[in-house]
DNA sequence: TCCCCTCTACCAGAAAACCAGTAGAAAAAA
DNA sequence: TTTTTTCTACTGGTTTTCTGGTAGAGGGGA
């Protein structure tokens, strides 16, 4: 486990000692300490319970590093944050699941077992969050025309207005106009912000 | 089901008729047809099996629309694509699971039942893909310095070099240099492409 | 100690983007 | 068919970014 709250550490330790007496449990209080251990690699770490808010890094970053250094290690996020976007980031960084810190001992052990058997594992509250996307996220997509979507993607590819104009066989002025309309719809004033929003809304 | 391949339709129909004889099965061949049905809303659709490659739209977009129009409908992605990023997009668009078209009847029905009971559901091959991120995705992150990450985020916020300079109390020239270094590291030549890559790599 | 990396800073010119406004043709919706 | 939306195109001016240099200060490791 990688966790910096003593109370949580103690709780986990007891539950695990009781439920899986033969497992070896290691504790780390910072992300770096854990990564360093992985590099040493005396033991193969089969499952890592990562706190998301650590003093020296964040869960997503740590998760990526862990998976890139030790791809077979199963990672479970473990935190108080129930933000959907964060959970998704953890999953796409390679986590096998995510638990809220308010899990019961039963839930915890079930998730651990599921994860060890190769399944995805979530605590009950997290399942609910994952099941339906936040209304805000889905709602806030401004209606884009076909042409606008097309041009948005080309902008994201790093093409200039001139490039795009050449590709679509229209005037560069036209592309500039589309750019302007896109920025207006998203209420931003440059391409960088535009692309970030578009990426968040899965438009590219 | 929303699906445009007759063979697949027929296969699904038979399996479902046998395994869940009391369920009502509706077919749509385009995304729009399905959305229109949802608007009509004679029946409550409890579970939708969405093909990802449809003639008039893509799975991610359709999934978002479906969930925003009918949040309680359970959506399962159903496709030949086993691209990790795509699956993640589907999940964060509200899908409850994802199946490859090569699933066995047994697997299919298991996933359907899991999804109906509120769980996430994946076919076996998909589970493997989700379990470990593609090496490329994790590896290809260029090493950024602290300052660079910070500036990257500010660029994504739509701030100009002058804005950022004022915020960080350094010269605008300095920010320009950082911008240049960032673009070089990501091998792109403007902020739009930079931000897209950064977003894909979860850096912002 | 020397070297490498990071962060800082500057110049100058070219290229691109951004802003504000206008407007016609075509396509889609009412 | 009328109306609205979308796509197209332009002028002209301002701001910002991008490119290609250069370079010093400070920290950390070899």
């Amino acid at each position: 486990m990688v966790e910096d709250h003593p109370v949580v550490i103690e709780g986990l330790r007891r539950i695990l000692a009781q439920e899986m007496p033969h497992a070896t449990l290691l504790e780390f209080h910072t992300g770096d300490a854990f990564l360093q251990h992985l590099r040493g690699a005396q033991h193969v770490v089969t499952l890592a319970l990562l706190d998301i808010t650590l003093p020296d890094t964040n869960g997503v970053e740590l998760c990526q590093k862990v998976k890139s250094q030790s791809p077979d290690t199963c990672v479970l996020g473990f935190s108080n944050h129930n933000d959907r976007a964060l959970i998704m980031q953890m999953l796409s960084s390679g986590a096998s699941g995510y638990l809220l810190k308010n899990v019961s001992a039963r839930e915890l052990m079930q998730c651990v077992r599921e994860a060890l058997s190769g399944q995805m594992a979530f605590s009950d509250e997290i399942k609910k969050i994952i099941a339906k996307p936040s209304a805000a996220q889905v709602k806030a997509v401004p209606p884009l025309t076909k042409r606008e979507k097309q041009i948005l993607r080309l902008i994201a590819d790093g093409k200039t207005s001139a490039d795009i104009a050449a590709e679509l066989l229209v005037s560069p002025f036209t592309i500039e106009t589309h750019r302007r309309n896109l920025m207006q719809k998203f209420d931003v004033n440059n391409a960088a912000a535009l692309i970030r929003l578009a990426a968040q809304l899965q438009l590219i």
Side-chain angles (χ1 to χ4, degrees), chain A:
Chain A
M1 66 170 109
V2 186
E3 168 63 60
D4 64 328
H5 296 85
V7 181
V8 178
I9 294 175
E10 197 49 38
L12 284 175
R13 203 208 297 262
R14 295 204 176 199
I15 294 173
L16 287 166
Q18 191 174 358
E19 300 279 336
M20 291 185 131
H22 302 304
T24 309
L25 180 62
L26 302 173
E27 299 170 19
F28 304 92
H29 303 168
T30 66
D32 271 345
F34 180 47
L35 288 171
Q36 212 163 350
H37 173 81
L38 282 182
R39 272 190 288 273
Q42 300 99 326
H43 316 278
V44 175
V45 176
T46 48
L47 186 135
L49 214 53
L50 296 192
D51 191 4
I52 304 299
T53 44
L54 287 165
D56 60 338
T57 180
N58 66 68
V60 174
E61 203 174 37
L62 181 57
C63 181
Q64 288 177 353
K65 285 182 187 163
V66 169
K67 291 299 278 191
S68 75
Q69 206 155 102
S70 167
D72 293 334
T73 297
C74 215
V75 173
L76 288 181
F78 186 59
S79 147
N80 277 315
H81 294 85
N82 61 359
D83 174 42
R84 190 164 203 287
L86 176 66
I87 299 169
M88 284 305 161
Q89 277 192 11
M90 284 297 291
L91 293 182
S92 73
S93 300
S96 303
Y98 196 101
L99 316 184
L100 277 189
K101 284 200 178 167
N102 66 7
V103 287
S104 62
R106 189 195 53 74
E107 253 182 296
L108 171 68
M109 291 314 299
Q110 192 190 332
C111 286
V112 166
R113 284 183 231 278
E114 279 175 10
L116 285 174
S117 75
Q119 295 177 52
M120 304 290 278
F122 303 96
S123 67
D124 294 344
E125 249 188 89
I126 296 296
K127 279 182 192 160
K128 285 183 208 153
I129 294 171
I130 292 179
K132 53 184 72 176
S134 68
Q137 195 197 0
V138 169
K139 193 185 70 180
V141 182
L144 299 186
T145 69
K146 229 175 214 161
R147 202 56 155 171
E148 282 168 347
K149 283 183 206 168
Q150 185 181 24
I151 288 165
L152 182 61
R153 286 188 194 101
L154 294 169
I155 295 172
D157 284 343
K159 306 207 164 115
T160 68
S161 296
D163 291 342
I164 299 171
E167 192 170 326
L168 302 183
L169 301 173
V170 296
S171 157
F173 293 116
T174 304
I175 306 301
E176 293 280 336
T177 304
H178 283 303
R179 275 188 111 105
R180 218 182 332 159
N181 294 338
L182 279 166
M183 289 194 292
Q184 210 164 49
K185 284 190 179 179
F186 282 91
D187 191 31
V188 296
N189 42 22
N190 61 41
L194 176 69
I195 296 305
R196 194 200 40 182
L197 270 181
Q200 279 176 350
L201 298 171
Q202 316 277 6
L203 296 172
I204 49 181

